[in-house]
Amino acid sequence: MLNLSRAHFAWVLTGAISSLVNGGMAPIFSIAFGNILSLLNDVTANDGEINYYCFFFLLIAVVASTTAFLYNFSFGVVGDRLVFDMRLQVF
C-alpha cells in the first residue's frame, strides 16, 4: 500500500500538514476564548483589545475551514487514486 501511495506523496503531504494545522486550531481557539472572556468581564477593557480578539476569531475560522477543506480534499484524491491503481493491478 505504501508503494502505491508514493506516486501521490505531494497529496499525502498536503493532507498531513493541513491536518496538523487544523488540529492546532482547537488549543489556539481555547486560549483566545479564555482571553476574550476575561476582557469582557473587565469593565475597564479597551475596545481595541476586544476588536483584536474578534479579528483573531475570524482568522481562526478562516484557517480552520481552509485546512479542513484541504485535508479532506487531498486525502480524498489520494484515496480515489489508490483505489483506481489497485483496481488496475487486480483486473
Side-chain angles (χ1 to χ4, degrees):
M1 186 68 105
L2 289 176
N3 289 334
L4 289 175
S5 66
R6 287 182 193 204
H8 314 295
F9 181 73
W11 286 109
V12 172
L13 188 65
T14 302
I17 291 172
S18 299
S19 180
L20 285 172
V21 171
N22 196 3
M25 288 294 108
I28 293 171
F29 176 80
S30 65
I31 291 170
F33 192 71
N35 286 342
I36 200 163
L37 282 180
S38 67
L39 281 176
L40 290 175
N41 286 332
D42 187 13
V43 292
T44 62
N46 187 3
D47 285 341
E49 288 180 282
I50 295 172
N51 289 338
Y52 168 76
Y53 280 109
C54 289
F55 176 73
F56 195 64
F57 279 124
L58 178 66
L59 182 66
I60 289 172
V62 168
V63 169
S65 62
T66 303
T67 56
F69 172 77
L70 274 176
Y71 81 77
N72 282 314
F73 181 77
S74 60
F75 286 147
V77 167
V78 170
D80 286 342
R81 290 184 180 177
L82 282 177
V83 168
F84 182 74
D85 292 343
M86 286 192 298
R87 284 182 180 168
L88 284 178
Q89 288 181 356
V90 171
F91 298 112

